[in-house]
Amino acid sequence: MEMAYRDQWKAEIAAMRRVLAGLGMTEECKWGKPTYTVDGKNVVIMQGFKDYFALGFFQGALLKDSKKLLVQLGQVQAARVMKFTSAKQITAQTATIKAYVREAIAVEKAGLRVKPKKTSDFPVPDELKERFRTDPRFKRAFEALTPGRQRSYLYHFGSAKQSATRKARIEKAMPAIYAGKGFLERR
């Protein structure tokens, strides 16, 4: 844990530790961050970001989230975070946080897991199908990518609302796809 992170969110870490105390979890330091486990399995992690402090739930997608407090960061499949901006806010939401964490512990003890999406679960945008049809060499290059790289491109292309944007994204990604690189890899 780099110093800036620890200093900036010191009060929030302390407040969250008080909330999580007595819930039967073990605090460990993983990835340089306070991580709480049950029977050696990760349940929640404290994370400081520039603009907010978060309690991350490793299998958050499986929680009921009745208060709609969990946020999906990027395209992660299982994890979700609860965001805070002050220790006061954490203290005020103690009961809610405990309820969510108790549910997360139950999910962990039951061994439940988010079933990762397979590449075939991601829709192939029409613009990509058309490109494959007219450019067999490009189709072969795409199919040669690892499943994870294919998924990241399908997600990226498919998340554009307009056809023109999808086409532009496909065009822009072509050199990296020919090079066998994933969407998030440096070109």
Side-chain angles (χ1 to χ4, degrees):
M1 227 192 284
E2 64 273 0
M3 279 312 288
Y5 164 82
R6 236 201 326 257
D7 291 344
Q8 183 183 354
W9 300 109
K10 197 179 265 176
E12 289 72 19
I13 292 170
M16 192 59 76
R17 279 191 169 122
R18 286 192 293 275
V19 172
L20 299 178
L23 289 177
M25 295 184 294
T26 305
E27 182 180 324
E28 303 177 35
C29 183
K30 294 188 179 187
W31 307 284
K33 296 172 175 54
T35 306
Y36 286 76
T37 62
V38 169
D39 303 326
K41 303 273 195 293
N42 300 327
V43 178
V44 290
I45 184 168
M46 291 186 213
Q47 298 167 287
F49 295 91
K50 200 172 90 187
D51 301 322
Y52 62 90
F53 176 79
L55 183 64
F57 292 78
F58 286 92
Q59 294 294 323
L62 295 175
L63 303 184
K64 289 183 190 71
D65 193 17
S66 55
K67 294 190 183 333
K68 302 287 175 251
L69 296 172
L70 299 179
V71 181
Q72 179 179 7
L73 300 180
Q75 47 178 309
V76 297
Q77 294 188 22
R80 298 291 183 271
V81 300
M82 201 180 271
K83 295 180 176 184
F84 303 95
T85 51
S86 69
K88 204 161 60 192
Q89 189 188 11
I90 292 169
T91 305
Q93 294 191 0
T94 296
T96 301
I97 296 166
K98 283 186 175 185
Y100 273 68
V101 173
R102 281 192 188 99
E103 187 185 354
I105 292 169
V107 160
E108 196 48 65
K109 285 187 170 173
L112 302 178
R113 286 287 171 271
V114 170
K115 204 167 144 280
K117 283 186 179 176
K118 296 187 295 293
T119 306
S120 58
D121 294 337
F122 285 81
V124 178
D126 291 341
E127 296 79 3
L128 189 58
K129 286 179 188 163
E130 180 58 23
R131 173 60 73 158
F132 287 163
R133 200 180 58 69
T134 59
D135 189 344
R137 185 173 150 255
F138 176 64
K139 183 176 196 243
R140 285 193 301 276
F142 187 85
E143 289 171 346
L145 294 172
T146 62
R149 288 179 175 133
Q150 288 181 26
R151 283 192 299 272
S152 70
Y153 281 115
L154 290 172
Y155 178 86
H156 175 61
F157 300 154
S159 65
K161 290 177 180 56
Q162 297 182 0
S163 176
T165 309
R166 288 191 290 273
K167 283 181 181 162
R169 286 182 178 184
I170 292 165
E171 288 293 321
K172 191 175 175 194
M174 288 177 75
I177 290 171
Y178 280 123
K181 292 185 174 177
F183 170 63
L184 295 174
E185 293 174 69
R186 292 284 156 243
R187 310 278 186 259

